[in-house]
Amino acid sequence: MDVPLLLIHGERDRICPPQAAQYVYERTNHCTFMLMPNVGHAPHVTQPSMCAHYIQTWLGGGKND
């Protein structure tokens, strides 16, 4: 793929381990990988505010802190 890609992954994902996202990250151009600490498989469900913050920051519309 040759488009910007954001991977958001939960550190404690037991269904699809973080190493899978790391694998994609290492083989994809223009990719950002954000690993959410203490989060499982569905970060957009369990931590929607944090996930939204990551997306907004990546898009350039949020503060990266």
Side-chain angles (χ1 to χ4, degrees):
M1 288 188 351
D2 196 26
V3 296
L5 175 66
L6 172 62
L7 295 174
I8 299 174
H9 207 94
E11 174 187 53
R12 295 187 177 182
D13 191 335
R14 293 184 193 173
I15 295 170
C16 182
Q19 293 85 351
Q22 183 71 34
Y23 178 89
V24 172
Y25 169 71
E26 291 172 356
R27 289 159 179 79
T28 307
N29 295 324
H30 313 294
C31 185
T32 301
F33 177 36
M34 295 182 171
L35 188 63
M36 293 180 69
N38 301 313
V39 176
H41 181 67
H44 63 288
V45 174
T46 59
Q47 296 291 328
S49 295
M50 185 188 298
C51 194
H53 172 75
Y54 283 11
I55 294 167
Q56 289 173 332
T57 300
W58 184 73
L59 290 172
K63 188 174 148 188
N64 191 10
D65 51 20

